Amino acid sequence: MSDEGATPRELVLEACRRNNTNLLSEVLTSINSPEKIADLLNNAKDGIGNHCLHIAASYGSYEVLDTLLDQENLEVDPLDRLDRDTPLHKAIRYINALPASERASGHPIAELLIDAGADPRIRNKAKLKPVELVDPRNTELRDVLQRAEYSMTVGDDLVVRDGGDDDGPTGSASDSD
């Protein structure tokens, strides 16, 4: 890449808008360290404060999102400046804007973000969680988000057992003659 023309930040944002994985890969391979890639991706914002994940989610850029989410140390829940939305909020808005017959094709975008660790419990500036933005007729997407929210809530409360005391039966009194 030459020193003339668009900056790496501008190229990343354009790749997110156009779902251009070739352009994104070109930018990422030109950077020689995972830390620098994470710094670029976590700080790449457009003029109104949308991070690269917000832009990709807003445009339904599944392949670019998939590539971005594979990068080390990427923040999956940045908040945009305007609405304090996460990329998951933006994905729901994108899905809601699709014609009703095509909405199911947008579900993988929300699922990809959730699988990467996006927190469906985060509320935006209007105090709404992503599930509260879902079109009420889109019950399948609502179920996906509710399951993810439940899983994260229950997952935070799980107690992990040591497992070191598993020596078999304890010889309770009911085992005696």
Side-chain angles (χ1 to χ4, degrees):
M1 293 175 54
S2 70
D3 291 334
E4 298 177 14
T7 65
R9 179 192 69 82
E10 293 168 331
L11 293 171
V12 165
L13 297 179
E14 185 61 21
C16 292
R17 281 185 203 95
R18 301 195 184 277
N19 199 26
N20 188 334
T21 55
N22 292 333
L23 177 58
L24 181 60
S25 294
E26 183 181 321
V27 173
L28 296 180
T29 56
S30 73
I31 300 171
N32 60 2
S33 83
E35 293 82 19
K36 289 181 181 178
I37 290 172
D39 184 58
L40 170 66
L41 297 179
N42 287 328
N43 293 302
K45 299 178 198 169
D46 66 11
I48 58 172
N50 289 310
H51 293 78
C52 60
L53 287 178
H54 290 109
I55 294 168
S58 294
Y59 282 84
S61 300
Y62 180 88
E63 289 82 9
V64 164
L65 268 175
D66 192 29
T67 301
L68 290 171
L69 293 169
D70 285 341
Q71 305 308 309
E72 292 180 34
N73 300 315
L74 181 70
E75 171 57 49
V76 296
D77 288 319
L79 301 176
D80 74 353
R81 187 171 46 219
L82 193 58
D83 297 315
R84 310 294 292 159
D85 278 347
T86 66
L88 187 55
H89 285 94
K90 297 290 189 190
I92 302 308
R93 293 179 197 280
Y94 166 77
I95 295 165
N96 286 344
L98 292 172
S101 62
E102 296 177 26
R103 287 192 183 143
S105 68
H107 294 182
I109 295 168
E111 292 167 348
L112 182 66
L113 286 163
I114 291 166
D115 288 346
D119 190 340
R121 302 170 297 179
I122 296 175
R123 294 181 182 274
N124 64 9
K125 185 177 178 180
K127 303 206 182 321
L128 297 172
K129 297 184 287 187
V131 71
E132 295 166 332
L133 295 174
V134 175
D135 183 316
R137 297 166 291 186
N138 195 342
T139 57
E140 184 181 339
L141 182 58
R142 183 177 297 281
D143 290 345
V144 167
L145 290 167
Q146 286 173 335
R147 281 193 307 272
E149 189 174 334
Y150 177 78
S151 177
M152 288 194 105
T153 302
V154 170
D156 287 347
D157 293 337
L158 288 179
V159 175
V160 179
R161 297 189 98 191
D162 176 346
D165 293 339
D166 191 14
D167 294 331
T170 59
S172 69
S174 63
D175 290 340
S176 63
D177 291 334

